[in-house]
């Protein structure tokens, strides 16, 4: 087998894994968009916020320590205990539910019936707000997140591929775990929306707000629930990305990477988010591998957007999006 | 009392269709112009020019440009930073290639080049609408910044990858570089701002502006009554990018002097200008001024209060600034989705009857 082809296969595998992580963020967008028609720009910052809160709780950091110290001249930083990972994750989930409630109570409830663009701007404002709060609460330095997920090269895959191709593939264990978790998460979400009462109510709200109201579904409750679920997805994404590259500001930028994924897959489709994520993941890695060296590298910064842009010109509603019917 | 149209009779069509039909408005406008051109240049110093006035003037140009696209034509763009970068790099290439030509021409040409690029990236808007378009403009943002970072021709093969504005003058007065006097840079930007504002105001009052607004309000209906969407959308992209390009050129050449594209013209800049437009008021030229003034002043005020008065470390103030900007945007959207311009309109309505309401 020619060497280039083997390299390309490794690149494709890595791309698939990266794509799963993009899809994970994109899922959060789709959930909120389907249920409330809000395009939640803050999803990426929610992932950052969740990851920072998780690290903070695990290390027993005092929230707002810097602010308190600066105001009162004290020197407190840590409570002096460490919280086990699983318990910390549950606590963080509690924080995310609280956040969902606050967002619904103080922001979205007042904006019902506004134009979509106004709602979108509000979520950008929310993103700024959350980012500032997260930095104030836990400090803005890069943190290490370790909840006990396996990391490093997968030796079994390395050996197997070496025996076949004479070249060992480098696949991170974490990426494999992320893929499995993402698959489980999607299965759980689908099961939740298909087979539970709340899930059905959620789909009813997504279908038609007024009809859902008229059969007695509480919009407030559904929206808090949807934002909580999105918070949960953000937490999972935050754990994965945080373990992979440290908890830092750039984490919130993966939200931007999720946008072309959404555009490819269509804003309203969960399978679309996954397929879109995989296409973008593989596409940008392959492009960087094949064309990148010719044009100076770092094409990953823009390839996804340009791909989505070209794609949209031919199919404006994305791969799996609902057909846009326009009337006067 | 202060603001009324009673007794303000028009005897000709020209008088009736002038930019400021109400006498009070007109005089206020002349006073503002007189102060800006006649008084401020004599009392300005370096601190005021660099901390407040130059950023305000330049961001106001960018905000007017973006407002034409988002507020008047309804095409949401997140690529402002990228287009500003086009203006800056076009200006740089022109400045270094033709050192003897006046800066006025360079800046205008930079705007023109940006307009062409803007039209290119505006083409997909004919097929893509709403959010999809907003995300598509991100392609412009990231691609353009990458291009200026990676292709050495754009930064004249300098070792640092930065671009530095060489010293250039207009009629013998130095405008760019570290030796430029504050009043000259201020006046230079002010002339461009006035020029842009007058053009924008008159474009939006005329046929072009009305076709833009028709497209914004409902594009299909507009198409049916005979508005050409291709022409309307592309002219909006062209005019908007022209202004944004001028703002980018001034931002680089006059204000900063040296630019590293990823830092200065990143996605944050796109959002900043968008916030100015939103907070100021969509579809209002005055709103662009108000929004730019507000978001230029806010960090300065916060810094003075937080660092100098309360004695907090700068990083906490920076984080607090994020919180406050975010909260302000949400508050504004909830209380007054039409921005500062709407507050101004309401105030004017009140002043018409004050102090004797019905």
């Amino acid at each position: 087998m020619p060497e280039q082809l083997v390299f390309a296969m490794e690149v494709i595998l890595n791309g698939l894994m990266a794509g799963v992580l993009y899809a994970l963020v994109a899922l959060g967008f789709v959930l909120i968009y389907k249920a409330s028609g809000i395009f939640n720009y803050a999803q990426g910052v929610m992932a950052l916020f969740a990851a920072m809160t998780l690290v903070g709780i695990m290390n027993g950091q005092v929230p707002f320590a810097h602010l308190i110290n600066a105001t009162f001249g004290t020197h407190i930083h840590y409570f002096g205990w460490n919280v086990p990972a699983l318990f910390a994750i549950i606590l963080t989930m509690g924080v995310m539910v609280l956040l969902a409630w606050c967002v619904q109570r103080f922001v979205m409830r007042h904006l019902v019936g506004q134009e979509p663009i106004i709602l979108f701007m509000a979520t950008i404002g929310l993103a700024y707000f959350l980012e500032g709060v997260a930095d104030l609460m836990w400090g803005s330095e890069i943190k290490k997140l370790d909840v006990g997920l396996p990391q490093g090269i997968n030796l079994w895959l390395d050996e197997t591929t070496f025996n076949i191709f004479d070249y060992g593939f480098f696949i991170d264990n974490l990426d494999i775990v992320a893929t499995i978790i993402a698959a489980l998460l999607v299965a759980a979400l689908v099961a939740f929306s298909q087979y539970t009462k709340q899930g059905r109510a959620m789909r009813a709200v997504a279908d038609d707000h007024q009809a859902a109201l008229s059969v007695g579904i509480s919009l407030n409750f559904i929206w808090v629930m949807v934002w909580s679920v999105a918070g949960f997805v953000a937490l999972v994404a935050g754990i994965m990305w945080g373990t992979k590259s440290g908890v830092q500001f750039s984490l919130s930028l993966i939200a931007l990477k999720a946008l072309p994924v959404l555009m490819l897959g269509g804003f309203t489709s969960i399978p679309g988010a996954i397929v879109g994520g995989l296409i973008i993941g593989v596409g940008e890695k392959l492009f960087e591998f094949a064309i990148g060296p010719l044009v100076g590298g770092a094409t990953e910064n823009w390839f996804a957007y340009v791909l989505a842009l070209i794609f949209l010109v031919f199919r404006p509603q994305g791969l799996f999006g609902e057909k846009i019917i326009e009337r006067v | 009392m202060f603001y009324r149209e009673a007794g303000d009779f028009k005897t000709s069509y020209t008088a009736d269709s002038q930019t400021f039909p109400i006498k009070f408005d007109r005089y206020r406008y002349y006073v503002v112009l007189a102060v800006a051109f006649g008084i401020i240049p004599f009392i300005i110093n370096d601190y005021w020019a660099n901390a407040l006035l130059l950023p305000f003037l330049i961001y106001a140009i960018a905000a007017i440009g973006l407002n034409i696209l988002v507020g008047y034509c309804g095409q949401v763009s997140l690529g402002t930073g990228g287009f500003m970068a086009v203006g800056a790099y076009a200006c740089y290439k022109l400045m270094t290639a033709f050192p003897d030509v006046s800066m006025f021409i360079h800046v205008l040409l930079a705007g023109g080049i940006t307009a062409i690029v803007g039209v290119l990236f505006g083409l997909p808007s004919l097929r893509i609408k709403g959010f999809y378009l907003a995300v598509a403009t991100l392609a412009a943002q990231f691609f353009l910044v990458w291009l200026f970072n990676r292709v050495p021709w754009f930064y004249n093969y300098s070792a640092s990858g930065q671009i530095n504005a060489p010293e250039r003058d207009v009629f013998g007065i130095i405008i760019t570089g570290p030796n430029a006097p504050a009043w000259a840079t201020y006046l230079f930007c002010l002339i461009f701002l006035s020029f842009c504002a007058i053009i924008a105001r008159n474009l939006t009052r005329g046929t072009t502006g009305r076709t833009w607004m028709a497209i914004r309000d409902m594009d299909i209906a507009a198409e049916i009554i005979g508005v050409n969407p291709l022409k309307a959308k592309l002219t909006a992209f062209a005019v908007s990018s022209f202004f944004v390009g001028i703002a980018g050129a001034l931002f680089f050449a006059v204000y900063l002097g040296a630019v590293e594209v990823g830092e200065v013209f990143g996605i944050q800049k796109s959002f900043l200008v968008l916030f100015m437009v939103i907070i100021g008021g969509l579809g209002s030229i005055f709103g662009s001024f108000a929004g730019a003034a507000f978001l230029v002043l806010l960090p300065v005020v916060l810094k003075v209060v937080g660092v100098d008065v309360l004695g907090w470390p700068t990083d906490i103030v920076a984080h607090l600034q994020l919180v406050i900007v975010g909260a302000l945007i949400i508050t504004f959207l909830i209380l007054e989705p039409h921005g500062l311009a709407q507050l101004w309109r309401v105030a004017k309505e009140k002043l018409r009857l004050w102090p004797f309401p019905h």
Side-chain angles (χ1 to χ4, degrees):
Chain A
M1 230 170 162
E3 223 177 19
Q4 287 294 325
L5 204 63
V6 180
F7 287 155
M9 275 173 67
E10 186 189 13
V11 169
I12 289 175
L13 263 180
N14 271 314
L16 280 177
M17 305 285 175
V20 169
L21 288 179
Y22 292 146
L24 212 54
V25 184
L27 259 184
F29 280 99
V30 172
L31 280 172
I32 292 187
Y33 189 80
K34 272 187 78 129
S36 53
I38 296 170
F39 185 82
N40 180 25
Y41 177 78
Q43 186 69 27
V45 183
M46 274 164 71
L48 174 74
F49 182 79
M52 281 174 97
T53 311
L54 182 62
V55 176
I57 292 177
M58 278 173 70
N59 295 340
Q61 263 183 291
V62 180
F64 298 109
H66 288 283
L67 195 62
I68 295 170
N69 291 346
T71 322
F72 301 108
T74 49
H75 291 284
I76 45 170
H77 290 288
Y78 292 96
F79 287 121
W81 65 62
N82 281 327
V83 181
L86 193 65
F87 190 55
I89 289 176
I90 293 169
L91 277 180
T92 311
M93 196 50 227
V95 174
M96 296 312 283
V97 172
L98 190 71
L99 176 72
W101 184 82
C102 288
V103 168
Q104 166 61 17
R105 176 71 187 75
F106 296 113
V107 182
M108 292 309 160
R109 220 169 83 173
H110 301 283
L111 289 171
V112 171
Q114 294 281 6
E115 289 169 50
I117 185 70
I118 300 284
L119 295 171
F120 174 59
M121 297 302 161
T123 62
I124 299 183
L126 183 68
Y128 270 65
F129 183 79
L130 267 185
E131 192 191 320
V133 169
D135 284 347
L136 278 180
M137 261 172 106
W138 310 109
S140 57
E141 68 277 1
I142 299 176
K143 299 182 191 62
K144 234 174 85 67
L145 174 63
D146 186 11
V147 291
L149 292 174
Q151 264 178 296
I153 181 169
N154 187 313
L155 290 174
W156 175 81
L157 204 70
D158 189 38
E159 273 172 27
T160 323
T161 48
F162 189 79
N163 291 337
I164 302 173
F165 304 120
D166 260 359
Y167 170 77
F169 286 8
F170 182 91
I171 306 284
D172 200 319
N173 266 328
L174 182 70
D175 287 338
I176 298 174
V177 174
T179 314
I180 296 167
I181 290 181
L184 286 179
L185 194 67
V186 172
L189 282 176
V190 170
F192 173 73
S193 63
Q194 295 290 335
Y195 299 113
T196 64
K197 192 178 160 195
Q198 273 75 26
R200 267 193 226 116
M202 193 174 90
R203 282 193 295 141
V205 172
D207 213 31
D208 190 328
H209 288 183
Q210 287 191 339
L213 265 179
S214 68
V215 293
I217 295 169
S218 157
L219 279 186
N220 273 331
F221 172 74
I222 294 296
W223 279 341
V224 171
M225 193 183 72
V226 169
W227 278 85
S228 308
V229 175
F232 176 65
V233 176
L235 175 61
V236 175
I239 292 175
M240 293 303 162
W241 282 99
T243 315
K244 197 178 164 81
S245 49
V247 180
Q248 52 179 320
F249 171 69
S250 68
L251 202 62
S252 63
L253 293 182
I254 55 168
L256 289 175
K257 237 352 172 349
L259 292 180
V261 170
L262 283 174
M263 296 194 349
L264 266 184
F267 278 118
T268 47
S269 159
I270 291 181
I274 312 242
V275 176
L278 294 180
I279 293 177
I280 297 271
V282 173
E284 70 175 19
K285 289 278 190 304
L286 263 185
F287 189 80
E288 176 70 31
F289 172 72
I291 317 276
L294 303 178
V295 291
T299 53
E300 285 169 348
N301 286 341
W302 55 267
F303 176 75
Y305 302 97
V306 175
L307 179 72
L309 177 65
I310 294 167
F311 185 82
L312 278 187
V313 171
F314 295 102
R315 202 179 152 79
Q317 71 272 31
L319 269 179
F320 296 91
E322 287 155 19
K323 182 127 187 66
I324 305 164
I325 301 165
E326 286 183 286
R327 296 189 185 88
V328 175
Chain B
M1 181 94 178
F2 290 123
Y3 180 82
R4 60 177 162 193
E5 56 234 71
D8 198 358
F9 301 115
K10 312 285 190 312
T11 48
S12 66
Y13 284 118
T14 338
D16 199 37
S17 62
Q18 57 189 326
T19 314
F20 295 104
I22 297 172
K23 208 184 262 167
F24 178 84
D25 266 349
R26 201 156 56 240
Y27 288 144
R28 181 178 48 84
Y29 168 68
Y30 291 145
V31 168
V32 169
L33 276 188
V35 170
F37 277 99
I39 298 180
I40 294 179
F42 293 103
I43 54 173
I44 195 170
N45 61 24
D46 274 348
Y47 174 77
W48 283 97
N50 286 325
L52 287 176
L53 286 168
L54 282 186
F56 162 66
L57 296 174
I58 295 168
Y59 278 127
I61 299 177
I64 290 174
L66 189 65
N67 215 336
I68 285 177
L69 193 60
V70 182
Y72 285 99
C73 196
Q75 313 292 311
V76 185
S77 163
L78 296 175
T80 320
F83 292 130
M84 280 177 85
V86 175
Y89 276 78
C91 188
Y92 174 68
K93 289 303 284 187
L94 288 167
M95 278 164 85
T96 46
F98 309 101
D100 299 328
V101 179
S102 165
M103 268 302 284
F104 274 110
I105 297 177
H106 284 327
V107 174
L108 284 178
L109 279 180
I113 291 169
T114 317
I116 296 170
V117 177
V119 168
L120 274 182
F121 279 98
L123 279 175
S125 72
L126 302 172
R127 287 277 292 170
I128 314 171
K129 284 166 193 165
F131 286 132
Y132 286 92
L133 180 68
V135 181
T137 55
L138 277 178
Q141 168 72 46
F142 287 103
F143 179 74
L144 290 170
V145 167
W146 173 86
L147 190 70
F148 294 132
N149 232 338
R150 294 284 160 169
V151 182
W153 180 79
F154 286 112
Y155 49 85
N156 282 358
Y157 305 94
S158 77
S160 61
Q162 280 193 342
I163 52 173
N164 291 295
E167 203 169 274
R168 293 286 179 270
D169 55 51
V170 176
F171 309 125
I173 304 157
I174 301 166
I175 292 294
T176 62
N179 297 325
W183 64 268
T185 54
Y186 165 80
L187 268 185
F188 189 67
C189 293
L190 184 65
I191 290 168
F192 274 104
L193 176 61
S194 317
F195 162 76
C196 289
I198 291 170
I199 289 186
R201 174 85 188 187
N202 283 309
L203 270 182
T204 50
R205 289 188 322 142
T207 320
T208 328
R210 287 178 188 206
T211 54
W212 290 342
M213 286 186 257
I215 289 284
R216 170 192 69 189
D217 290 339
M218 184 172 264
D219 50 352
I220 293 189
E223 209 175 329
I224 289 167
I225 59 167
V227 172
N228 182 352
L230 175 84
K231 206 176 141 205
K233 284 180 181 174
L234 291 189
T235 48
F237 265 97
V239 174
S240 160
S241 309
F242 178 70
F243 289 174
V244 171
I246 287 181
L250 292 176
F251 201 75
F252 152 69
V254 179
Y255 177 50
L256 287 179
V259 158
E260 206 282 308
V261 63
E263 272 174 38
V264 178
F265 297 119
I267 181 86
Q268 302 298 332
K269 192 108 312 172
S270 303
F271 282 128
L272 182 66
V273 180
L274 192 61
F275 285 158
M276 287 173 181
V277 173
I278 306 261
I279 288 187
L282 286 166
S284 154
I285 302 294
F286 169 78
S288 312
F289 282 88
F294 187 79
L295 280 185
V296 167
L297 264 180
L298 183 72
V300 178
V301 171
L302 277 180
K303 190 171 164 293
V304 168
V305 171
V307 179
D308 301 344
V309 179
L310 292 176
W312 282 345
T314 39
D315 63 323
I316 287 191
V317 176
H319 299 155
L320 213 57
Q321 189 190 325
L322 283 179
V323 176
I324 292 176
V325 170
L328 267 178
I329 288 162
I330 295 174
T331 321
F332 253 101
L333 290 176
I334 291 173
L335 296 181
E336 189 49 87
H338 301 288
L340 292 168
Q342 180 66 19
L343 289 181
W344 175 241
R345 252 173 251 139
V346 172
K348 279 204 291 196
E349 281 300 308
K350 288 263 189 318
L351 276 181
R352 276 170 76 185
L353 300 174
W354 189 84
F356 301 116
H358 311 286

